[in-house]
Amino acid sequence: MSSKEPTSPEAVRTWIENHTRSSDRFAHVADKYEPHRKRHGCYDVYPSNNGPLLGALAAMAKPKRLLELGCGLGYSGLWLAYGAGTGALLDTVEANSEHAEIARAHFNAEGFRKRIQVLLGRAGSVLPKLKSRYDLIYFDTDPAESMIVLQACRRLLRKGGLLISANLFLGQYNPNIPGLEKTAEYRLRILDADKWHTAFTEDGTAISVRR
Ligand SMILES: C[S@@+](CC[C@H](N)C(=O)[O-])C[C@H]1O[C@@H](n2cnc3c(N)ncnc32)[C@H](O)[C@@H]1O
Ligand SMILES: [Zn+2]
């Protein structure tokens, strides 16, 4: 890896890619997604493109209770639980039983068995049953359920809590994904300054503080 000063935006991107990759403690879990998709034939399971950012946000917010919607194979959950620190508990919702099973195996292997609970089911059916107050919620699942999730977040997230939203610009990959009109509405709702204090990162992730 070169230590040369990056002198163009592209070189900066390359520097970040190279260095964050080598310091990503859960990169070996992210690496399992592509072979999994080929074997399972599923299309919607991708690791978060910035696990270390999730870890840093969790470390900063110091949440005791975290909720994730869209567990996948467990990469983002590992970063969130790791960043939040040893006293924190993560509930993570996953609709696909094979994904849930693989994620549980990853959580066990990484020593998070007691701190991460996988809740099997669609977000829309699991959310109404949840009673806990959460300090941090990560949304990374079905666009069609995004408005249901956002409404549930108002109920489940404490004031001052952090909502991190991925998957809000999936139209750039496929403009025909069902539910894109729901994420379009979601994107605007989190810009309602009476309810949320929101910033978007360049890759389209939204970071919102509940007012
Ligand atoms: C983008 S992946 C999540 C990736 C994970 N957050 C990570 O970064 O490692 C989306 C996951 O949501 C699951 N899923 C799809 N629709 C869902 C729904 N309505 N409720 C809960 N999970 C769902 C898929 O099976 C898939 O595993
Ligand atoms: Zn799969």
Side-chain angles (χ1 to χ4, degrees):
M1 198 180 302
S2 161
S3 60
K4 240 177 69 198
E5 181 63 23
T7 54
S8 67
E10 199 198 332
V12 170
R13 273 194 296 278
T14 305
W15 187 99
I16 293 172
E17 239 171 70
N18 289 341
H19 287 74
T20 50
R21 162 96 210 150
S22 60
S23 64
D24 184 343
R25 60 177 47 244
F26 301 118
H28 57 287
V29 175
D31 287 344
K32 305 231 169 110
Y33 282 65
E34 195 183 343
H36 167 83
R37 284 194 306 275
K38 285 195 181 131
R39 185 187 56 72
H40 192 205
C42 57
Y43 63 94
D44 66 347
V45 68
Y46 288 82
S48 156
N49 57 9
N50 204 336
L53 175 66
L54 296 177
L57 288 169
M60 196 166 58
K62 299 186 181 62
K64 290 284 164 235
R65 300 288 316 240
L66 300 90
L67 174 66
E68 174 177 62
L69 303 156
C71 171
L73 309 184
Y75 171 73
S76 51
L78 285 167
W79 264 113
L80 288 166
Y82 170 76
T86 49
L89 300 176
L90 168 69
D91 294 331
T92 176
V93 180
E94 173 55 54
N96 184 292
S97 57
E98 183 163 341
H99 298 176
E101 202 54 41
I102 295 169
R104 279 192 191 107
H106 288 149
F107 298 148
N108 292 349
E110 302 294 327
F112 287 85
R113 190 175 60 82
K114 294 200 173 130
R115 292 181 42 213
I116 305 182
Q117 185 184 196
V118 183
L119 307 174
L120 184 61
R122 295 185 65 78
S125 19
V126 173
L127 282 167
K129 297 180 201 145
L130 298 181
K131 302 277 180 275
S132 304
R133 274 298 227 200
Y134 292 93
D135 308 298
L136 187 156
I137 300 180
Y138 180 48
F139 168 59
D140 190 17
T141 185
D142 189 359
E145 292 197 336
S146 48
M147 286 309 296
I148 296 170
V149 168
L150 190 59
Q151 275 149 23
C153 286
R154 289 298 300 173
R155 177 175 68 84
L156 293 169
L157 191 62
R158 71 160 167 82
K159 271 193 175 184
L162 198 59
L163 169 64
I164 307 168
S165 314
N167 277 357
L168 295 184
F169 295 92
L170 289 176
Q172 66 187 306
Y173 308 112
N174 176 357
N176 301 317
I177 294 176
L180 287 189
E181 73 290 351
K182 300 275 187 348
T183 44
E185 190 180 347
Y186 184 113
R187 290 195 300 255
L188 293 177
R189 291 279 183 97
I190 55 175
L191 288 171
D192 175 350
D194 291 333
K195 293 191 170 157
W196 301 101
H197 186 139
T198 291
F200 281 90
T201 63
E202 216 177 306
D203 71 357
T205 303
I207 300 166
S208 311
V209 177
R210 188 196 190 288
R211 289 187 184 274

